[in-house]
């Protein structure tokens, strides 16, 4: 299915410009409509305040969140007026505990979400919540944009991380419009299983499926020569000059990955090129 409805959620003015560059270029090149939600987040924790102060604290926090949303809205509108894509901007306010609901309610009607990288210095917790809401609650694929680097709308070289999981297959299917236009797609298999029906041809079934959709595809099989699978994936992408990585997100539970770490979290922390994810 082509990308015709693209959405982005911005919660911090400092990370708006790079995301808007990527989102507007992507929407223009795919002849899609871009919807931008600028969300002011009330981060107050009401349980820490005595009852007499609650009303004052709520009003002050909501006013601050409203001002933040309007500031991001002005930045987005100013930027998008100078682009050639179709767009709309909406401002909203949410308490921290309700961010996921607001994001999911809109994200479920988009073909792809384009969001800033959620981890790093001065990144609010709501940025991680936004990505998880899109993936889990809305079932929308997410294109995660690094803070620097060139914007990509139709990458020529793509690495697809393949571990035979449903998440990885879902990501590959969701990214088909991008994969079909790439010059080369590399299906990367790291430490394939030594037992099972696909042991003699790791990645073969996925490659056949992609080739039938017109994708120019090769298979790379590597051993886990580094401490983490995500390290091998990032090194491979760098060595092959990949412009985008496609992978399944959160093969383990979100709680387990947040406590113990995981491939998804590490990729969102370390990747310097756009990462296309689906769950």
């Amino acid at each position: 299915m082509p990308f015709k409805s693209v959405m982005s959620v911005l919660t911090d003015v400092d990370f708006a410009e790079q995301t808007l560059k990527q989102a507007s270029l992507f929407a223009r090149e795919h002849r899609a409509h871009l919807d931008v939600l600028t969300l002011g987040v009330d981060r107050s924790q009401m349980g820490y305040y005595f009852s007499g102060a609650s009303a004052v604290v709520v009003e002050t926090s909501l006013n601050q969140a409203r001002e933040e949303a309007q500031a991001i809205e002005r930045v987005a509108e100013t930027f998008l007026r100078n682009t050639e894509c179709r767009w709309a901007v909406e401002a909203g306010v949410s308490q921290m505990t309700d961010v996921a609901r607001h994001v999911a309610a809109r994200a479920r009607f988009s073909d792809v979400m384009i969001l800033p990288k959620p981890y790093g210095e001065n990144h609010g917790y709501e940025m991680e919540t936004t990505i998880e809401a899109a993936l889990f609650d809305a079932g929308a694929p997410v294109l995660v944009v690094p803070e620097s680097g060139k914007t990509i709308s139709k990458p020529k070289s793509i690495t697809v991380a393949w571990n035979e999981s449903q998440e990885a297959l879902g990501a590959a299917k969701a990214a088909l419009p991008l994969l079909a236009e790439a010059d080369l797609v590399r299906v990367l298999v790291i430490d394939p299983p030594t037992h099972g029906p696909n042991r003699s041809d790791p990645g073969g079934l996925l490659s056949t499926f992609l080739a039938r959709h017109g994708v120019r595809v090769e298979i790379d099989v590597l051993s886990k020569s580094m401490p983490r699978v995500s390290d091998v994936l990032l090194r491979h992408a760098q060595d092959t000059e990949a412009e985008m990585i496609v992978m399944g997100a959160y093969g383990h539970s979100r709680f387990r990955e947040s406590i113990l770490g995981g491939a998804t979290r590490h990729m969102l922390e370390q990747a310097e090129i756009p990462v296309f994810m689906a769950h």
Side-chain angles (χ1 to χ4, degrees), residues 1 3 26 30 111-114 135 140-146 153 155 158-161 167-179 233 243-249 267-268 271 273-279:
M1 183 176 68
F3 301 116
F26 192 97
H30 291 273
D111 295 318
V112 62
M113 296 284 290
I114 298 181
L135 290 169
V142 174
L143 180 60
V144 182
V145 182
S153 61
I158 302 176
T159 293
V160 176
E167 292 83 6
L169 181 58
K173 287 182 176 180
L176 268 175
L178 297 171
L179 302 180
L233 174 55
E243 295 180 327
M244 182 177 292
I245 295 171
V246 174
M247 62 180 288
M267 289 297 297
L268 293 176
I273 59 175
V275 179
F276 188 101
M277 292 182 164
H279 178 80

Side-chain angles (χ1 to χ4, degrees), residues 18-236:
Q18 184 68 12
T19 306
L20 289 169
K21 284 181 180 179
Q22 177 66 79
S24 59
L25 177 64
F26 192 97
R28 187 191 72 187
E29 292 297 320
H30 291 273
R31 298 181 180 180
H33 189 281
L34 171 62
D35 291 298
V36 178
L37 174 63
T38 64
L39 197 60
V41 180
D42 172 13
R43 300 175 179 83
S44 61
Q45 301 289 331
M46 293 310 301
Y48 292 108
Y49 299 98
F50 61 89
S51 59
S54 296
V56 176
V57 170
V58 168
E59 182 177 4
T60 302
S61 298
L62 287 176
N63 285 339
Q64 182 178 349
R66 191 174 294 109
E67 291 172 1
E68 290 177 356
Q70 292 170 349
I72 304 170
E73 181 184 30
R74 289 192 293 270
V75 169
E77 289 182 341
T78 300
F79 181 91
L80 292 171
R81 285 193 191 103
N82 297 315
T83 65
E84 299 177 359
C85 72
R86 292 172 291 148
W87 58 271
V89 177
E90 176 188 4
V93 175
S94 172
Q95 289 190 315
M96 187 66 228
T97 55
D98 214 23
V99 167
R101 182 177 66 86
H102 286 290
V103 172
R106 293 163 175 79
R108 59 197 291 251
F109 296 105
S110 66
D111 295 318
V112 62
M113 296 284 290
I114 298 181
L115 300 172
K117 197 172 174 180
Y119 301 115
E121 187 176 357
N122 298 323
H123 288 60
Y125 179 71
E126 73 279 354
M127 298 173 74
E128 180 184 21
T129 301
T130 298
I131 287 183
E132 292 184 351
L135 290 169
F136 286 87
D137 302 326
V142 174
L143 180 60
V144 182
V145 182
E147 295 165 19
S148 60
K150 66 177 182 178
T151 54
I152 298 293
S153 61
K154 296 181 179 180
K156 297 304 179 184
S157 176
I158 302 176
T159 293
V160 176
W162 179 240
N163 61 0
E164 299 190 12
S165 69
Q166 189 61 37
E167 292 83 6
L169 181 58
K173 287 182 176 180
L176 268 175
L178 297 171
L179 302 180
E181 294 195 31
D183 291 340
L184 180 62
V185 172
R186 290 181 171 88
V187 173
L188 175 61
V189 184
I190 300 171
D191 272 358
T194 56
H195 302 283
N198 301 317
R199 64 186 183 279
S200 62
D201 187 20
L205 291 177
L206 176 63
S207 298
T208 300
F209 169 78
L210 295 177
R212 288 172 180 168
H213 282 273
V215 179
R216 291 165 287 279
V217 60
E218 293 181 357
I219 302 174
D220 291 344
V221 180
L222 299 178
S223 62
K224 185 185 174 185
S225 56
M226 303 175 75
R228 292 176 289 202
V229 169
S230 52
D231 291 327
V232 181
L233 174 55
L234 288 169
R235 175 64 63 83
H236 177 272

